[in-house]
């Protein structure tokens, strides 16, 4: 493999029913930085049915080029049809780096593409960088157990691929003056050749509305002691209209259902205010919440790692602090005769 | 139907202790278990077998002690268990792992053709979820990842109807057999093993293969040699510019926090209720 033949940074643009996923825009932001360091173009790869109109948006968010494959068989995401398109593009244009959102579809696609291209793929990364001296992509992710990150390299194969956690990277400000090159490719796909069919897509927004879109989150950890004490968090949540989430240990203890787990193997959240109560702040947890605007940590151990990411830290017993906080918020409400909410 | 489940032995990350000084794992503290997602995968295979009949096999790649999780799978209800174990497999990343496992599956298919492969959504140690789709590609069968329900098996048409989890919501997919599924935890509850299974498991001898027992193996694609990715460095995550530690008694700290939050008024609005 002649590594120098491979140039440029690519981002797979995931769209669902004509709407680009947030993570793809975030990756254009992250990809822009990588491409600038390498002094190569940044390209978005857009597949679907009737998606040409989305190409401009990809450019406005930072891409120099957009590769498009528009085909009726690509209407819904399917591994077999999408991978065929992506692989043909990658083999023809040879990118050196290729990023995908770590969503169900992004991970599925990236795994299949990596296998066929016989290249390396790093899962669920949270930090991306370039080693300019060796012109190598450094994809880092929290490593198994403990507060440690591992940088994964792919030295001898191209493209260097990674899936990236949603809500970790930042999208650029949309710039409507940006101009990019649109490259449309054709592909031969026949519905009869497809071995899977999407029969129906059922949207469920109820769960999401709870955590991923919440403006204020109260997250409890194992330090709450027991299920009964954990209820204190709901009282605080009630007084400020917040949603309640938990660490994996809390979910394992059965105090909360899995879909309310925050962290690497749960939801990634970016609320305006995040209360971290009685949780230690293991990296698998903090990767899922550290981009919150204000993080308030309450922990009785002054050395708990959560204080390293907290905006405001309170060292103390949650059972003592929480009732006081609830009282204060309730007083504030009564005082102003209003309902507390957040913009 | 012949269903083969890929099962991996992993350290129990719930119990594993981390040495806070060196940031390394105390491996002795962690018992090796059947990857929890794979337990659900075996359970699902056993459920489908009860529904439509057939055989459930499991296959694992790992050190000789991994026969323990094959026994565990037999407890859940698997009929047969294969372990591929060889120094040549050591140090494999997901690409090399899916290659080795696909070679084992090809060998198993010679004994009895395979209709479905089931993997866990991910292994709790590596946490990638890449091996399943990788195997599907190598066997050239369609992968369906993040499965939360196998709704229907239509044996005469060789088709299955599946619910697959999406970022928000789910989709209903029809897939041709043979196919490969990766399953989420919510697909089922892993049941307590009935006594006859326990007895069978206690006596069960796994079938162990080395590389020499597999056919058409390109050794360059195995283990460390066949792994395009390597761990470059390990580091502590950069500490964000530390925030403010509130001082004083509990009351003082709470008051201070309220003051700080009120300074950030733009985050809150007070709506007057009628
Ligand atoms: C592959 C992998 C994936 C993982 N994914 C996730 C994930 O998605 N999400 C996640 O959260 N974790 C995840 N984990 C687990 C993670 O490593 C930690 O084990 C977990 O987050 C710890 O949960 P905790 O903070 O609730 O409990 P602990 O670590 O036990 O912390 C409890 C804290 O509460 C404090 N405390 C105790 N009593 C009080 C009190 N009265 N008042 C105030 N503070 C008190 C203690 O000082 C301590 O800091 C994962 C681990 C692995 C290996
Ligand atoms: N060494 C292995 N032996 C058997 N199955 C494996 C092995 N590694 C991974 N798998 C399967 O692939 C799934 C995903 O693993 P991973 O891609 O490592 O997260 C697991 O849940 C297993 O079903």
């Amino acid at each position: 493999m002649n590594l120098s033949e491979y140039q440029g940074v690519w981002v797979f643009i995931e769209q669902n029913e004509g709407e680009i996923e947030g993570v793809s825009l975030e990756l254009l932001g992250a990809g822009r930085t990588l491409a600038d360091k390498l002094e190569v173009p940044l390209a978005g790869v857009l597949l679907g049915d009737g998606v040409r109109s989305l190409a401009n948006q990809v450019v406005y968010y930072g891409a120099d080029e957009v590769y498009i494959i528009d085909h009726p068989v690509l209407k819904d995401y399917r591994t077999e049809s999408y991978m065929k398109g992506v692989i043909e593009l990658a083999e023809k244009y040879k990118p050196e780096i290729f990023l995908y959102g770590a969503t169900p579809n992004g991970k599925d696609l990236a795994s299949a593409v990596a296998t066929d291209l016989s290249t390396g793929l790093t899962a669920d990364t949270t930090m991306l960088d370039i080693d300019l001296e060796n012109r190598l992509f450094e994809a880092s992710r929290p490593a198994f157990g403990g507060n440690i990150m591992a940088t994964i390299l792919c030295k001898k194969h191209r493209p260097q691929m990674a899936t990236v956690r949603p809500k970790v990277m930042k999208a650029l400000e949309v710039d409507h003056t940006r101009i990019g090159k649109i490259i449309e490719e054709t592909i031969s796909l026949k519905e009869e050749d497809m071995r899977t069919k999407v029969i129906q897509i059922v949207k469920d927004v109820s769960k999401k509305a709870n955590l991923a879109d919440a403006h204020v989150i109260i997250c409890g950890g194992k330090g709450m002691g027991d299920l009964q004490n954990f209820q204190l968090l709901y009282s605080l949540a009630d007084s400020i209209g917040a949603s309640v989430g938990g660490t994996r240990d809390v979910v394992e203890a059965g105090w909360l259902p899995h879909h309310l787990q925050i962290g690497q193997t749960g939801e990634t959240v970016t609320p305006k205010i995040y209360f971290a109560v009685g949780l230690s702040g293991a990296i698998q947890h903090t990767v899922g919440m550290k981009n919150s605007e204000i993080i308030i940590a309450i922990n009785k151990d002054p050395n708990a790692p959560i204080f390293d990411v907290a905006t405001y830290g309170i060292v103390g017993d949650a059972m003592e602090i929480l009732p006081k906080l609830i009282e204060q918020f309730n007083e504030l409400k009564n005082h102003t005769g209003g309902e507390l909410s957040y913009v | 139907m012949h269903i083969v489940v890929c099962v991996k032995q992993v350290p129990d990350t719930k119990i594993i202790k981390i040495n806070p000084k060196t940031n390394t794992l105390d491996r002795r503290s962690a018992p090796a278990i059947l990857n929890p997602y794979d337990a659900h995968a075996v359970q699902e295979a056993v459920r489908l077998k009860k529904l439509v009949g057939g055989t459930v096999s499991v296959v694992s790649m790992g050190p000789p002690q991994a026969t323990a999780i094959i026994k565990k799978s037999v407890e859940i209800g698997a009929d047969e268990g294969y372990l591929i174990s060889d120094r040549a497999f050591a140090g494999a990343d997901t690409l090399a792992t899916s290659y080795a496992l696909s070679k084992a599956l090809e060998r198993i298919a010679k004994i009895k053709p395979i209709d479905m492969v089931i993997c866990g959504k991910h292994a709790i140690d590596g946490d990638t979820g890449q091996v399943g789709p990788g195997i599907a590609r190598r066997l050239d069968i369609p992968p369906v990842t993040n499965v939360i329900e196998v709704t229907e098996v239509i044996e005469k048409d060789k088709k299955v109807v599946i619910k697959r989890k999406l970022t928000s919501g789910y989709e209903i997919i029809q897939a041709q057999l043979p196919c490969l599924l990766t399953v989420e935890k919510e697909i089922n509850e892993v049941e307590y093993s009935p006594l006859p299974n326990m007895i069978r498991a206690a006596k069960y001898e796994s079938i162990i293969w080395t590389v020499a027992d597999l056919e058409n193996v390109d050794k360059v694609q195995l283990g460390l040699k066949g792994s395009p990715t390597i761990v470059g460095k390990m580091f502590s995550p950069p500490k964000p510019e530390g925030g403010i530690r509130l001082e004083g008694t509990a009351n003082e700290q709470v008051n201070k926090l309220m003051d700080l939050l009120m300074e950030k008024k733009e985050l809150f609005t007070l709506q007057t209720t009628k």
Side-chain angles (χ1 to χ4, degrees), chain B residues 11 18 26-27 29 34 62 83 88 106 123 143 145 156 159-160 178 185 191 210 232 235 239 241 264 270 272:
Chain B
I18 294 139
D26 180 3
R27 283 187 184 272
S29 71
L34 170 61
L83 174 68
E106 280 170 8
T145 49
K156 65 169 183 11
K159 283 195 171 127
V160 277
K185 277 189 175 169
E191 290 163 18
T210 64
F235 60 99
K239 295 242 160 97
E241 61 294 358
K264 306 239 168 201
L270 287 171
T272 318

Side-chain angles (χ1 to χ4, degrees), chain A residues 153-277:
Chain A
L153 306 172
C154 173
K155 289 188 171 166
K156 298 194 188 111
H157 298 257
R158 294 292 178 274
Q160 307 163 86
M161 309 219 302
T163 60
V164 186
R165 292 281 308 194
K167 299 204 175 176
V168 176
M169 304 297 160
K170 284 238 168 355
L172 302 173
E173 291 285 330
V174 58
D175 175 358
H176 293 279
T177 62
R178 279 187 64 88
I179 301 169
K181 196 162 110 195
I182 314 284
I183 303 133
E184 184 156 348
E185 290 284 321
T186 52
I187 185 175
S188 77
L189 280 172
K190 287 202 208 75
E191 186 55 46
E192 311 86 84
D193 295 340
M194 295 294 123
R195 293 178 289 184
T196 57
K197 267 192 182 19
V198 177
I199 297 173
Q200 195 189 353
I201 294 180
V202 182
K203 285 252 144 77
D204 174 13
V205 279
S206 58
K207 263 187 209 167
K208 291 278 145 186
N210 262 336
L211 277 186
D213 297 334
H215 293 270
V216 181
I217 291 177
I218 320 283
C219 183
K222 212 48 203 298
M224 292 306 291
D226 57 33
L227 185 54
Q228 202 186 336
N229 286 337
F230 199 81
Q231 306 307 311
L232 263 178
L233 302 175
Y234 290 98
S235 310
L236 176 58
D238 279 348
S239 67
I240 52 174
S243 301
V244 172
T247 62
R248 188 174 78 167
D249 288 33
V250 158
V251 171
E252 300 275 355
W255 302 350
L256 276 182
H258 178 75
H259 73 265
L260 296 179
Q261 177 181 319
I262 294 167
Q264 188 183 335
T265 39
E267 291 285 330
T268 301
V269 296
T270 51
K272 302 216 159 170
I273 307 180
Y274 188 94
F275 285 90
V277 192

Side-chain angles (χ1 to χ4, degrees), chain A residues 22 65 78 107 119-120 151 191 198 222 299 301 303 313 326:
Chain A
E65 297 167 347
R78 280 179 290 185
K107 292 189 65 147
T119 193
T151 302
E191 186 55 46
V198 177
K222 212 48 203 298
N299 195 308
D301 171 8
N303 297 319
I326 296 165

